[in-house]
Amino acid sequence: MSRVFICGLGAVSPAGWTVEALMAALEKGEPLPVQPLPRPGWEKPLRARLVPGPAARPAFLSHPRLRRASPISHYVTAVALEATARLGLSEKPGYRLGMIVCLQSGCVQYSCRFFEEVLNDPATASPLLFPETVFMAPASHVAALLGTMPLASTLMGDPASYLQGMALAIQWLEEKRVDACLVVAAEETIWLLADALWQFEHSAIISSGAGAVCLSLDPAISSGVELAAITDEHTYGSRQNRVVAARAMRAQLPPCAPGELLCDGVGDSPRVNAPELKAWHDWTAARVSPKKVLGEGLMAVGAWQCVAACEAIAKGRHAAANVSLVGSNLHAIGARFVRSDVGGFGSPAGTQPGSISP
């Protein structure tokens, strides 16, 4: 198996529009403020952690494809540009960058707007809104903005599917179909989605944003972090429950060791947290739970966990990090990142790279 290096990270979250803002919030460890989210026909609003406006108008908004795009497309574009900043794409006209965008709910804001217009008066419903309702819209916009992108795909699933996106990216790299590959996860917030979440988990607070990890087989552009392993996909359902799936995922990752980090998916719901907490009950080293700080970002949480793990290693705070993703309704998958012996740091990796499941 080829060695897979992390060559860029990007993040948009309720903490702000950069990886730096995300890490600052996680290091502080305090839940971010909650904003009211009006629900039509109800006096009491829902609760959400919303993405703040950017400090300055992003330059990419002047692109014709993005002037009327939905917020989720803005998030995906922002993290894609941040994650590829050190690649110098403008100076590499023949560079083949692939992209995989992972979604759970997708483009809900424009979907609601379009179908509301259809219900009110089909004759006047704006056809300009419809393209923004399809799941492929964010990937399409970024591909148009960056130009030469031989492969761009969108995956649907629960948050654990983000690591399936990484496995697919590795396959593309090893087949030499791309030189580097962005793996993005994103979500946007609307009252309808917040209400649906509230129906299942009253304590969960919806949030939105995006995260991106850029992968490459080229050690010369490594940030000093390496993807050592992705576990098998452990599905759950009638034959296997979430506890068993979470433990099977945990068993494929190394035991706790000093100086390592666990980035888990534990949030504010005791019922949802139980399988993951049981699986990792023996972890005694450092631990971070992005959901507790940022909120329930659905698919975006998977990317935030990976970004946090990679950035902590790149900054020299940990030698290795495990990422635990026990999905909301499909499967449990984990990943391990280690400090690489090339790129940003000269010290040897915490573990030798293992196999990666496609």
Side-chain angles (χ1 to χ4, degrees), residues 192-219:
L192 191 62
L193 187 59
D195 182 66
L197 179 65
W198 180 85
Q199 299 294 333
F200 290 96
E201 295 296 334
H202 288 3
S203 59
I205 300 174
I206 197 74
S207 65
S208 56
V213 176
C214 190
L215 306 176
S216 175
L217 304 184
D218 183 1

Side-chain angles (χ1 to χ4, degrees), residues 80-106:
L81 293 175
E82 185 179 13
T84 58
R86 65 196 307 269
L87 295 182
L89 294 177
S90 60
E91 302 172 0
K92 301 176 181 178
Y95 200 79
R96 301 172 304 159
L97 177 69
M99 180 173 61
I100 298 166
V101 177
C102 304
L103 305 173
Q104 183 168 353
S105 60

Side-chain angles (χ1 to χ4, degrees), residues 6-209:
I6 310 303
C7 55
L9 303 170
V12 170
S13 72
W17 287 67
T18 61
V19 172
E20 182 181 3
L22 174 77
M23 296 303 292
L26 296 181
E27 288 166 12
K28 193 173 182 181
E30 298 178 2
L32 293 176
V34 176
Q35 293 84 29
L37 191 63
R39 176 169 52 176
W42 296 70
E43 292 185 5
K44 185 178 180 181
L46 296 159
R47 300 183 302 162
R49 290 191 173 101
L50 304 176
V51 175
R57 178 180 169 82
F60 63 74
L61 291 182
S62 62
H63 192 279
R65 287 289 296 269
L66 289 160
R67 288 174 185 166
R68 297 183 180 86
S70 60
I72 193 171
S73 292
H74 295 170
Y75 303 157
V76 170
T77 304
V79 299
L81 293 175
E82 185 179 13
T84 58
R86 65 196 307 269
L87 295 182
L89 294 177
S90 60
E91 302 172 0
K92 301 176 181 178
Y95 200 79
R96 301 172 304 159
L97 177 69
M99 180 173 61
I100 298 166
V101 177
C102 304
L103 305 173
Q104 183 168 353
S105 60
C107 309
V108 291
Q109 292 199 21
Y110 274 45
S111 294
C112 286
R113 285 178 57 185
F114 177 73
F115 288 109
E116 183 178 11
E117 290 188 5
V118 170
L119 290 172
N120 290 336
D121 186 354
T124 61
S126 173
L128 295 176
L129 291 178
F130 178 75
E132 298 300 323
T133 69
V134 300
F135 288 111
M136 190 65 184
S140 173
H141 289 315
V142 176
L145 177 69
L146 296 181
T148 56
M149 185 171 285
L151 285 173
S153 185
T154 298
L155 297 183
M156 301 297 300
D158 70 9
S161 298
Y162 182 69
L163 292 180
Q164 287 186 312
M166 280 199 175
L168 178 59
I170 294 164
Q171 182 178 331
W172 289 358
L173 289 167
E174 292 187 329
E175 291 174 353
K176 302 189 184 304
R177 303 175 73 184
V178 295
D179 299 314
C181 190
L182 275 170
V183 187
V184 182
E187 299 289 352
E188 61 184 8
T189 301
I190 197 171
W191 74 268
L192 191 62
L193 187 59
D195 182 66
L197 179 65
W198 180 85
Q199 299 294 333
F200 290 96
E201 295 296 334
H202 288 3
S203 59
I205 300 174
I206 197 74
S207 65
S208 56

Side-chain angles (χ1 to χ4, degrees), residues 223-236:
S223 62
V225 184
E226 190 170 343
L227 175 56
I230 295 177
T231 71
D232 294 325
E233 174 193 19
H234 299 280
T235 58
Y236 56 85

